[in-house]
Amino acid sequence: MSILPQNTTELPIHLGEGLILRRSTAKDAEALADFNAKVHSDAGPDNPDEKVWAWTYDLMARPHPTFKASDFTIIEETRSGKIVSAMNLIPQTWTYAGIPIKVGRPELVGTLPEYRNRGLVRKQFEVVHQWSDGNGDLLQAITGIPYYYRIFGYEMAMNLHGGRVGYPVLIPRLKDGEAEAYRFRPAVEDDVPFLTQLYKLGCKRSLVASEWDEALWRYELSGKSEKNVNRVEVRIIESANGTPCGFITHPAFTWGEMMAVQWYEVKPGTSWMEVTHAVIRYLEAIYQQLQPDHGEKKPFGGFGFWLGEDHPVYHTISDRLPRIRKPYAWYLRLPDTVAFLRQISPVLEERLAGSPATGFSGEVRLTFYQDGVRLVFEQGKLSTIAPWKPTPYGHSGEAGFPPHTFLQLLFGYRSLEMLKTSFVDCWTDGNEIQVLLDSLFPRQPSDVWPIS
């Protein structure tokens, strides 16, 4: 049973054992940065990560388009004031097939080793989920280690990253005397409208995408400190006559022996083939100029395109990208499935209208075993989306999904047939329901560039 109050404005909460749970203030900036730099260091607490320090400090002490200095939870010792556990919530807006969805992104979840296994993270998640609900968020999303966030009601249900890799021998070299047809320059504030426009075009390829308005692009270009772990270099691609024709982003430092593109778009009518050859040569050159994340720099070992499961560049130069880096997964939490389905109902009706099940009329009850959803269609239109309580025996309803697995279907991560193969207690009652659900929820990958 939760010990938290219904209204988290009643923070702080005394947790016992000399600990207090409270909301952060701007005065906590340095202490939180020190804490996170130690807790989240891959090299251990004795070697704090300066890039994580910078990220935390930026969130707390520099203007951010969506985040406030009060958006961390902190658990500290009442006697010493030492932070022993903390996390935050970064508000953002994503889109589902173009429909805006408010999202809360928990991040920087950490606890000192000697305070782990006491339920401190669970207590903070309860607070953060209440904050997110108060913000009107329909979804929470987090990245992290395998399994852990399932404990707090999350499901790995959407692609995270993934990409392709090529090696130096596959770099398309210029011929003797041949000049580079494209050049790469740092993006500046005057480029923000161009970046915003091209980014929106790219998002159309992804079922789920993160909205980036001009304020977020300006923050990315000049709002983050130099060592922020999430800062990227944004480069405008220009033709030889100085006309902008695309952009790329890449890390501000090297990771291992590789340099990779994290976002890549070109204007309609521009040759992906020609530009991509120049991009590969640029990646090799910029690798030599940047400092490594840690340790000594190694000789350039390869170029990468971290652009999700699918991207035009993969089809353009498939012979130069022999290695596949399979996607990991986002953890998603959907506290109100009915509210979410109502929000995206125009998408569901549009999919149905273009499917073999067009004009469908009838009732479809989806059981998640402990609860469920009732959908009623009238000539292809959703007239009812409502909660439904399944019976605890037999095949109650028209389709069944073990708890949280429906998210994998909803967010395009797995097809219905893939889920049935993996979960014998995922089922449909007859071919008609199978066709209907395949039409409503086709598999479609996503590549989300979140707000951090």
Side-chain angles (χ1 to χ4, degrees):
M1 180 179 294
S2 170
I3 65 171
L4 294 173
Q6 291 298 310
N7 186 346
T8 53
T9 58
E10 296 178 24
L11 294 177
I13 301 169
H14 290 273
L15 302 176
E17 299 183 320
L19 300 178
I20 190 172
L21 168 58
R22 65 174 177 85
R23 195 159 194 161
S24 59
T25 72
K27 295 179 180 179
D28 295 310
E30 288 200 16
L32 267 173
D34 290 342
F35 171 81
N36 282 322
K38 294 178 181 179
V39 169
H40 295 284
S41 172
D42 291 338
D46 293 334
N47 298 282
D49 190 319
E50 62 180 358
K51 294 181 175 64
V52 174
W53 194 99
W55 177 23
T56 306
Y57 192 80
D58 282 356
L59 288 171
M60 292 294 295
R62 302 182 71 158
H64 188 284
T66 70
F67 189 88
K68 305 185 299 296
S70 58
D71 287 340
F72 269 91
T73 55
I74 291 175
I75 295 180
E76 66 182 13
E77 292 180 337
T78 54
R79 179 175 296 182
S80 67
K82 181 175 74 171
I83 298 173
V84 303
S85 186
M87 63 184 292
N88 67 20
L89 183 73
I90 306 175
Q92 44 209 282
T93 299
W94 291 4
T95 57
Y96 182 98
I99 293 180
I101 303 291
K102 293 191 69 175
V103 176
R105 183 189 181 194
E107 254 298 348
L108 289 167
V109 181
T111 304
L112 294 178
E114 62 269 29
Y115 283 87
R116 292 172 186 168
N117 298 311
R118 298 191 189 185
L120 301 185
V121 169
R122 181 176 297 280
K123 292 177 173 64
Q124 291 173 93
F125 262 115
E126 292 179 3
V127 171
V128 163
H129 288 161
Q130 288 185 29
W131 288 356
S132 194
D133 182 65
N135 291 340
D137 299 336
L138 293 179
L139 183 72
Q140 289 86 40
I142 190 171
T143 58
I145 58 177
Y147 177 75
Y148 182 65
Y149 294 108
R150 294 182 188 273
I151 299 171
F152 310 107
Y154 289 76
E155 172 74 10
M156 300 183 99
M158 188 175 69
N159 278 356
L160 174 63
H161 303 319
R164 302 289 189 274
V165 179
Y167 302 102
V169 69
L170 297 173
I171 296 174
R173 302 295 180 185
L174 293 172
K175 297 177 182 178
D176 290 343
E178 182 182 6
E180 188 66 81
Y182 299 92
R183 60 194 184 197
F184 301 80
R185 64 166 175 81
V188 296
E189 188 160 328
D190 286 347
D191 296 309
V192 165
F194 177 75
L195 292 168
T196 304
Q197 179 186 22
L198 272 195
Y199 174 78
K200 287 181 179 179
L201 285 176
C203 287
K204 292 180 179 181
R205 293 191 299 268
S206 182
L207 173 60
V208 180
S210 177
E211 281 195 347
W212 277 60
D213 59 17
E214 293 194 0
L216 283 165
W217 277 110
R218 285 192 291 270
Y219 177 71
E220 190 62 46
L221 294 181
S222 58
K224 295 179 180 178
S225 58
E226 182 178 357
K227 292 185 178 180
N228 187 317
V229 67
N230 288 306
R231 187 178 72 84
V232 298
E233 299 286 352
V234 184
R235 295 290 181 264
I236 300 296
I237 308 170
E238 293 182 334
S239 61
N241 65 6
T243 302
C245 59
F247 79 91
I248 60 171
T249 71
H250 61 76
F253 44 86
T254 65
W255 292 86
E257 303 174 1
M258 184 178 300
M259 178 54 60
V261 167
Q262 296 168 302
W263 198 271
Y264 178 21
E265 293 298 329
V266 299
K267 288 171 58 176
T270 303
S271 169
W272 281 100
M273 178 72 75
E274 291 182 7
V275 177
T276 300
H277 286 176
V279 168
I280 294 172
R281 292 188 287 269
Y282 167 82
L283 292 176
E284 181 185 33
I286 199 66
Y287 179 88
Q288 310 303 334
Q289 301 175 27
L290 297 177
Q291 295 299 312
D293 176 39
H294 58 270
E296 296 183 2
K297 179 180 285 191
K298 299 179 181 179
F300 181 68
F303 55 91
F305 292 88
W306 295 165
L307 303 172
E309 180 180 331
D310 194 25
H311 189 276
V313 75
Y314 302 160
H315 307 286
T316 303
I317 56 164
S318 58
D319 58 331
R320 299 185 187 275
L321 300 171
R323 179 184 159 199
I324 297 176
R325 183 190 187 194
K326 292 185 178 180
Y328 190 52
W330 278 92
Y331 284 98
L332 302 180
R333 176 178 180 268
L334 191 63
D336 190 339
T337 304
V338 167
F340 191 90
L341 290 173
R342 287 173 178 166
Q343 182 81 355
I344 67 165
S345 59
V347 173
L348 302 181
E349 292 177 350
E350 182 180 356
R351 288 172 175 171
L352 191 57
S355 78
T358 184
F360 175 83
S361 295
E363 179 185 62
V364 180
R365 296 165 299 169
L366 308 179
T367 175
F368 310 139
Y369 293 97
Q370 294 177 325
D371 56 13
V373 172
R374 177 175 173 263
L375 309 175
V376 179
F377 295 85
E378 295 179 3
Q379 295 298 311
K381 301 297 182 180
L382 273 162
S383 62
T384 300
I385 304 175
W388 171 66
K389 184 67 174 177
T391 56
Y393 57 85
H395 283 67
S396 183
E398 283 67 52
F401 299 87
H404 306 309
T405 58
F406 178 67
L407 272 68
Q408 297 187 35
L409 185 70
L410 177 61
F411 288 95
Y413 187 57
R414 296 288 184 260
S415 68
L416 180 56
E417 197 58 39
M418 293 166 75
L419 284 178
K420 284 184 174 182
T421 300
S422 299
F423 302 94
V424 295
D425 49 356
C426 176
W427 53 270
T428 53
D429 186 12
N431 183 69
E432 183 180 53
I433 299 301
Q434 171 91 31
V435 172
L436 179 68
L437 292 179
D438 282 340
S439 300
L440 291 172
F441 307 109
R443 185 174 185 275
Q444 182 180 348
S446 297
D447 186 28
V448 176
W449 191 12
I451 311 307
S452 58

